[in-house]
Amino acid sequence: MTQARHRRIIIGDVHGHYRALMTLLEAIAPDTLDKVYFLGDLIDRGPDSADVISFVRQHRYTSLLGNHEQLMLDAYPNGRPFAPALQAWLYSGGRATIASYGDTGGLFQEHLAWLKTLPSYLDLGDIWLVHAGVHPLLPIESQSLQEFCWIRDEFHSSSKPYFADKLIITGHTITFTLPKVEPGELAQGCGWLDIDTGAYHPKSGWLTGLDITNREVYQVNVYTGANRKLPLDEVITRIEPTQVLAHRQALLNRS
């Protein structure tokens, strides 16, 4: 089957795994006609966050703001550390990000300035990109970074699509934390598709790139080096809204 040109390629949460990202993009092989979008969480937990940001900037790829970028910005308002927010960021994977800059303080400041320019969502007509999701009961103009970067259960348990004519594509929530989803699988609910397959997580390690134009999924495993290309329909698990809250409650009861 001949592939469509002008592909739209969407990359899930990289979390500082630069080498895996390079392997993934080598497999996808985007050309100058293709559009590449990152869903945020370029940084934290993995070893090479500085390199990931530099790469995305140099290629002028579009990235959304993720909750980890927001944590970094909160930790350095006006370019200087703010102790309470800094501790929260360090706890959430920021130590690895700081280490990735070494002594290049100037680069760190450049990247902070760039992060401030990132959009919180992107409307591409038939698809709508956002890091975490949207609150199903609020209009877009009433929502904030709290929803766009952090929301989980309210979004995933919604019983009807937020948009009648757009598929929302997200990262943020590792797919295997949703009910009946296996590591490496994508999760689909009412009007949304989650492609964060947990690149940093030892239970998964899969970094995902989605060619939504041709409905193909590319994946590289951070830990094993395995890579694969699969039809989108073969790696989707459908999530029923009622399963989400029941699943979360079961996890809380076990904790």
Side-chain angles (χ1 to χ4, degrees):
M1 184 176 68
T2 303
Q3 285 196 334
R5 303 311 299 159
H6 302 276
R7 294 180 297 170
R8 292 179 297 178
I9 297 156
I10 305 155
I11 310 293
D13 304 32
V14 179
H15 279 300
H17 286 286
Y18 175 78
R19 292 183 181 180
L21 176 61
M22 294 301 98
T23 302
L24 182 70
L25 289 174
E26 182 179 357
I28 297 172
D31 62 25
T32 56
L33 298 178
D34 296 329
K35 299 294 184 182
V36 179
Y37 306 94
F38 289 79
L39 292 175
D41 282 7
L42 301 175
I43 63 169
D44 292 352
R45 298 194 168 113
D48 300 310
S49 291
D51 289 339
V52 172
I53 293 180
S54 290
F55 175 82
V56 173
R57 288 182 71 211
Q58 288 164 6
H59 286 77
R60 298 185 178 180
Y61 291 144
T62 299
S63 179
L64 300 179
L65 185 74
N67 62 302
H68 282 264
E69 284 83 22
Q70 188 59 52
L71 285 168
M72 182 173 170
L73 289 172
D74 290 343
Y76 285 85
N78 303 314
R80 290 179 289 185
F82 175 58
L86 178 60
Q87 289 303 312
W89 179 48
L90 294 176
Y91 178 79
S92 301
R95 285 186 176 85
T97 299
I98 290 175
S100 73
Y101 285 93
D103 297 328
T104 55
L107 183 63
F108 183 85
Q109 293 297 326
E110 285 181 26
H111 285 182
L112 277 176
W114 180 75
L115 293 180
K116 291 178 181 178
T117 71
L118 300 185
S120 52
Y121 63 84
L122 194 61
D123 187 347
L124 300 181
D126 58 329
I127 58 176
W128 202 86
L129 308 183
V130 67
H131 178 64
V134 295
H135 196 293
L137 303 180
L138 296 176
I140 290 298
E141 60 270 17
S142 299
Q143 305 203 33
S144 68
L145 292 178
Q146 183 63 34
E147 287 78 36
F148 298 140
C149 291
W150 291 94
I151 200 166
R152 295 190 197 274
D153 291 350
E154 297 96 332
F155 173 64
H156 294 132
S157 60
S158 178
S159 60
K160 64 179 182 179
Y162 188 84
F163 296 111
D165 58 348
K166 303 177 193 291
L167 174 67
I168 298 177
I169 301 179
T170 75
H172 184 55
T173 297
I174 297 177
T175 54
F176 73 72
T177 66
L178 292 164
K180 299 183 180 180
V181 182
E182 296 297 321
E185 293 180 344
L186 279 58
Q188 186 167 28
C190 290
W192 57 265
L193 176 67
D194 180 358
I195 70 167
D196 177 12
T197 43
Y200 77 88
H201 200 291
K203 185 176 176 180
S204 174
W206 289 107
L207 174 63
T208 292
L210 169 63
D211 172 1
I212 191 66
T213 305
N214 295 295
R215 297 183 63 81
E216 294 176 334
V217 173
Y218 295 79
Q219 294 182 317
V220 171
N221 194 285
V222 166
Y223 300 112
T224 69
N227 62 83
R228 60 193 186 188
K229 174 185 173 184
L230 299 163
L232 175 59
D233 293 339
E234 290 186 10
V235 288
I236 285 179
T237 294
R238 174 76 185 183
I239 306 296
E240 296 301 328
T242 54
Q243 293 177 313
V244 176
L245 295 179
H247 180 67
R248 294 296 182 198
Q249 188 60 52
L251 291 176
L252 288 173
N253 292 340
R254 290 202 298 265
S255 63

